[in-house]
Amino acid sequence: MMDRTKKIVLGMSGGVDSSVAALLLKEQGYDVLAVYMKNWEEQDDEGVCTSAADYEDVRRVSDTLGIPYYTVNFAQEYRDRVFSYFLAEYSAGRTPNPDVLCNCEIKFRAFLDFAMGLDAAALATGHYARLEETGGQRRLLRAADLSKDQTYFLAGLSQAQLQKAMFPIGALQKREVRRLAEHAGLVTAKKKDSTGICFIGERNFKRFLMQYLPATPGDMVDLNGSVIGRHDGLMYYTLGQRRGLGIGGMAMGSGESWFVIGKDLDRNLLIVQQGEREELYSLGLRAEKVSFVAGNAPSKSFACTAKFRYRQTDQPVRVTMHGAGCTMDFETPQRAVTPGQWAVLYDGDVCLGGGPIDETRALRPIRIGGRTL
RNA sequence: UGGGGUGUCGCCAAGCGGUAAGGCACGGGACUUUGACUCCCGCAUUCGUAGGUUCGAAUCCUGCCACCCCAG
């Protein structure tokens, strides 16, 4: 058992979840130190600095609970370890998931180091996930509230990182979290959940990217190579995307919506298709780097379930290891599996780990102008 | 300047004398610690234009304009 008089550093965002995490830790008798991370220096689209308001909420909740609070700034680390990767991936035509990396590199690395430097026994966060101890090993389990489960974003964490982690609200339902916050008189009780890239927040995504990546407009073409329209730059679109293409009805069309089914970086072409057809689906994928929470793969080849994006229902897959990477074969074809996104593996409620998708095996390969994409 | 055809929301498209379907696009919202997907709501007092017939027209008649096709 952990000594409850010991110090716990809690990452507080100014939202309900971390507020209630603070409440629970405090009630359990821990010596809680609330720390607000400011990892992004700019204002949002409306020119509002939301971090000031969030920090104010951290202050009020901390005061209500009678715990000390501080702020740390990892903006430099965030830019170097997360945002630069984020931009590089988009430039390469992929669609990265910065929040998975943020957990690995910022919250549970830079911030964890900071907490350990303060002699904390553990670093707690308001994530919806559970930890289980089995023979000195820690397992990462889905949250009790499956609709809020955030293990997808935590799948890249190592055993060493999880050994120092605590997720106080992981066993609660979201509604219970709100109820506890309300009963404790926490100002964040009814605060709307925040979304968007963590630390950057909700943005007009295309406009945001345009500030960092130069636009290189080009043609949008269909499977026949016919020009259907113009795109503003390949990095502003992702596989399976519908909105923002601006393609309306056409005399010869089926009346269905158009979707992005591929990118040809060499020729700067965005491949689009009307309706959800086989070209949008894949049978498997390859990931060059996969990490496992346990430290290594359960075996050379194993069956489990996987998610290829947050909040997707688990899909049965067969994983075959190849060195540090693996291939996954899907039981049923999957829609818009996208390079850059993470494939996260589960064995029942246990999150095994995962890695960024590098390549997919198409159900029906796309050929444009004699070239296979 | 002979003949024929067509002009309805940004695009496609119903309507054929009784008071403007639908789809796509777009906008807004919901959902959501990535990007997407999805879902919900909104979106032509007006039918190329000017007159006429009629209780009443986008629908009938006439002129004009535009575009397309066939002949020249």
Side-chain angles (χ1 to χ4, degrees):
Chain A
M1 278 313 267
M2 191 175 284
D3 180 351
R4 296 203 161 174
T5 63
K6 278 198 176 158
K7 183 191 291 178
I8 303 293
V9 166
L10 167 68
M12 266 187 86
S13 65
V16 229
D17 299 332
S18 54
S19 296
V20 171
L23 169 68
L24 295 177
L25 289 173
K26 173 78 181 185
E27 284 179 344
Q28 288 162 18
Y30 289 111
D31 176 15
V32 187
L33 175 58
V35 179
Y36 175 81
M37 276 186 282
K38 180 172 167 58
N39 297 344
W40 190 251
E41 301 287 12
E42 290 154 49
Q43 305 164 326
D44 70 10
D45 291 338
E46 273 73 50
V48 177
C49 186
T50 55
S51 74
D54 286 337
Y55 188 52
E56 175 61 13
D57 285 335
V58 169
R59 185 188 69 73
R60 296 171 74 182
V61 170
S62 298
D63 283 348
T64 302
L65 298 175
I67 59 176
Y69 61 94
Y70 296 95
T71 180
V72 287
N73 188 314
F74 291 120
Q76 177 73 47
E77 288 82 353
Y78 188 81
R79 254 183 287 122
D80 292 349
R81 303 184 204 170
V82 178
F83 202 62
S84 59
Y85 155 86
F86 171 81
L87 293 181
E89 286 283 277
Y90 268 109
S91 298
R94 307 185 5 144
T95 307
N97 185 327
D99 290 358
V100 175
L101 197 63
C102 175
N103 283 321
C104 298
E105 296 297 326
I106 307 300
K107 289 178 186 157
F108 292 97
R109 175 152 281 124
F111 188 46
L112 179 60
D113 290 345
F114 166 83
M116 293 303 112
L118 260 39
D119 286 326
L123 170 62
T125 64
H127 281 109
Y128 281 89
R130 290 177 296 157
L131 290 168
E132 187 180 77
E133 202 84 36
T134 46
Q137 279 267 310
R138 282 218 165 171
R139 299 205 297 177
L140 178 63
L141 306 184
R142 295 187 215 260
D145 187 337
L146 292 176
S147 70
K148 297 300 295 183
D149 176 53
Q150 290 174 315
T151 49
Y152 180 85
F153 293 108
L154 300 167
L157 297 182
S158 68
Q159 190 59 211
Q161 288 168 308
L162 289 174
Q163 288 287 351
K164 306 268 178 51
M166 281 181 85
F167 304 127
I169 63 165
L172 301 180
Q173 296 294 315
K174 180 76 186 195
R175 59 165 61 109
E176 296 180 85
V177 169
R178 290 222 179 258
R179 194 172 300 139
L180 287 172
E182 200 167 352
H183 287 172
L186 306 182
V187 295
T188 51
K190 290 180 177 165
K191 189 172 174 179
K192 190 183 188 314
D193 289 352
S194 67
T195 58
I197 300 173
C198 84
F199 298 120
I200 295 178
E202 292 189 67
R203 305 279 181 150
N204 174 313
F205 201 76
K206 189 170 170 186
R207 223 188 302 151
F208 175 70
L209 268 185
M210 284 199 254
Q211 296 180 308
Y212 299 92
L213 299 173
T216 310
D219 287 330
M220 291 193 325
V221 303
D222 65 11
L223 281 176
N224 299 315
S226 307
V227 177
I228 304 298
R230 295 283 292 172
H231 71 251
D232 298 319
L234 293 182
M235 63 287 271
Y236 306 137
Y237 306 83
T238 190
L239 293 187
Q241 181 172 335
R242 165 155 88 93
R243 310 203 76 170
L245 300 182
I247 309 173
M250 295 171 66
M252 296 296 102
S254 64
E256 295 168 286
S257 297
W258 290 75
F259 297 91
V260 173
I261 59 170
K263 297 181 181 184
D264 182 337
L265 264 64
D266 295 337
R267 291 179 287 184
N268 194 29
L269 298 175
L270 187 70
I271 321 297
V272 295
Q273 182 177 44
Q274 188 164 32
E276 305 211 349
R277 312 258 178 270
E278 294 189 325
E279 283 78 1
L280 204 47
Y281 290 78
S282 50
L283 298 165
L285 65 82
R286 189 173 59 76
E288 288 173 1
K289 246 189 224 163
V290 189
S291 69
F292 289 90
V293 167
N296 43 47
S299 62
K300 174 101 173 116
S301 176
F302 57 98
C304 64
T305 64
K307 292 183 195 296
F308 310 110
R309 53 172 51 71
Y310 180 50
R311 288 176 67 77
Q312 174 184 29
T313 348
D314 279 61
Q315 303 297 322
V317 299
R318 169 115 228 143
V319 181
T320 306
M321 299 304 300
H322 298 102
C326 74
T327 53
M328 295 183 199
D329 295 295
F330 312 151
E331 191 171 290
T332 37
Q334 297 298 307
R335 181 188 184 283
V337 175
T338 309
Q341 290 289 296
W342 270 56
V344 174
L345 305 171
Y346 294 86
D347 175 8
D349 275 345
V350 181
C351 177
L352 301 173
I357 297 162
D358 288 300
E359 210 171 79
T360 61
R361 203 174 89 242
L363 172 58
R364 181 182 283 266
I366 299 168
R367 289 190 186 75
I368 300 289
R371 196 183 308 185
T372 301
L373 294 180

